[in-house]
Each structure stands twice: as C-alpha cells, then as structure tokens.
Amino acid sequence: LGVLSYIALQAATEVIVVCPPEYMAFRSLPHLQEMAARANVPVTGIVPTMTTSVSRHAREVLSQLQDEYPGLLLPSIPRRVALQDAALSGLPVTTFEPNSDASRRFLALAKEVLDRAKNIAA
C-alpha cells in the first residue's frame, strides 16, 4: 500500500477489500482501513477470496475475519477451477459456467453490494 494505492483511494467513493484467507493478508486489513480513513473513504466490505476449507490455516483466518469484521464481511468467493477456466476463456464465470457454485457466489456478492449501496443511499 504505497502512494499509488493512496491516490486510488482518494479518487474512490467507497472501498471493497479482497482478502484471501492468509495470515499476511488478514494482518494488513487494519493498515488498509487506516489508509481508507485518511483518504476519507468508507470501507463498504471485505470479500474473502480463494476460500477453501481444506487447510486449517484458511479456516482459522476465515474464522478471525468473521470474529473481527462481522459487519464488513461480504459473501466469500471460493477457489474453483471454473474461475480459472473462465479467465482463460476471457468470459465472466457467470457466462462461462452459469450454474456453478462460483457463479452463484459472485451473484450473491453482487446482490449484497447492491443492497448495501441502497442502504447507504437511503
């Protein structure tokens, strides 16, 4: 998070943070929140990305995210081959594999972000 990140924050009206379930990414969240506050930009939410329940480490980080950021946590995006295949094809996963778990998760994320935006506007 350097000068360019700060300039991008200043140009933004709100921030959605992506956070893979890894300790170093989780540990950087308070610093990112400080930067957003200095730029006077609200953090709308945190999206856990590339989530998996396979490793204990990932489960622990997800649990800590839920405990420490309950009001900011948005629907998670799982680690799925369909996402890699969609990226290779140059299509969004909702077009490439519309009935996949990953597509449903992205749609749930979009709905939640839109719902939060409506609540802020009201």
Side-chain angles (χ1 to χ4, degrees):
L1 298 174
V3 174
L4 291 177
S5 299
Y6 184 72
I7 291 169
L9 284 172
Q10 285 186 313
T13 55
E14 58 187 288
V15 176
I16 295 175
V17 180
V18 294
C19 183
E22 297 167 2
Y23 179 69
M24 295 304 288
F26 172 76
R27 211 174 107 179
S28 70
L29 289 174
H31 180 64
L32 183 100
Q33 285 182 301
E34 276 180 37
M35 268 183 98
R38 273 189 273 136
N40 202 27
V41 179
V43 175
T44 300
I46 300 169
V47 180
T49 58
M50 298 185 290
T51 61
T52 178
S53 60
V54 174
S55 78
R56 180 179 52 87
H57 176 76
R59 288 190 306 271
E60 287 175 359
V61 172
L62 282 172
S63 177
Q64 282 186 294
L65 274 169
Q66 291 168 345
D67 291 345
E68 294 188 31
Y69 302 98
L72 288 176
L73 213 55
L74 290 165
S76 64
I77 303 299
R79 178 183 295 273
R80 298 287 188 266
V81 173
L83 293 169
Q84 295 168 339
D85 292 344
L88 278 171
S89 73
L91 295 170
V93 71
T94 52
T95 301
F96 181 79
E97 205 169 305
N99 297 320
S100 68
D101 174 46
S103 289
R104 288 190 298 276
R105 295 285 190 96
F106 268 105
L107 293 172
L109 173 61
K111 182 183 180 325
E112 179 67 25
V113 169
L114 289 172
D115 288 347
R116 288 186 187 199
K118 287 177 191 173
N119 290 336
I120 291 171

